[in-house]
Amino acid sequence: KETFVQIFGNRCKCCGGSFDSASYDFHHRNPAEKKFKISDTNYILNQETLEELNKCDLLCKNCHAALHAGSIKYDEFGGVYVKSDIIR
């Protein structure tokens, strides 16, 4: 998992925090395009996994939970995560 986290620069795309690799999740920006969970790969790096990683953002577990709870939204036009009250 450490290698995968390093590919993303070891920073949460939402809050910018840098944490231990166990503190991150790989979030699929578009669930409809998701072929498999990154964790299901046993973190073996190959072409198929790289293609799936390109559909993901690295989020810390706190931001990932906030996103799924609805307090953070993904702004696809800006490619950033923002508090949900900013996007209408």
Side-chain angles (χ1 to χ4, degrees), residues 7-69:
I7 289 171
F8 285 90
N10 193 36
R11 294 243 175 247
C12 173
K13 180 151 184 182
C14 183
C15 71
S18 180
F19 308 99
D20 180 81
S21 63
S23 300
Y24 292 111
D25 291 325
F26 298 95
H27 173 72
H28 283 80
R29 289 180 298 276
N30 182 349
E33 295 179 356
K34 181 179 181 177
K35 288 185 180 177
F36 53 85
K37 291 174 22 179
I38 299 300
S39 59
D40 289 346
T41 68
N42 292 320
Y43 303 105
I44 296 170
L45 195 57
N46 57 38
Q47 186 62 37
E48 185 179 29
T49 305
L50 278 173
E51 289 172 8
E52 200 66 19
L53 280 172
N54 283 328
K55 303 174 193 175
C56 297
D57 288 325
L58 185 67
L59 300 180
C60 71
K61 291 190 180 291
N62 286 340
C63 289
H64 197 212
L67 176 69
H68 285 284

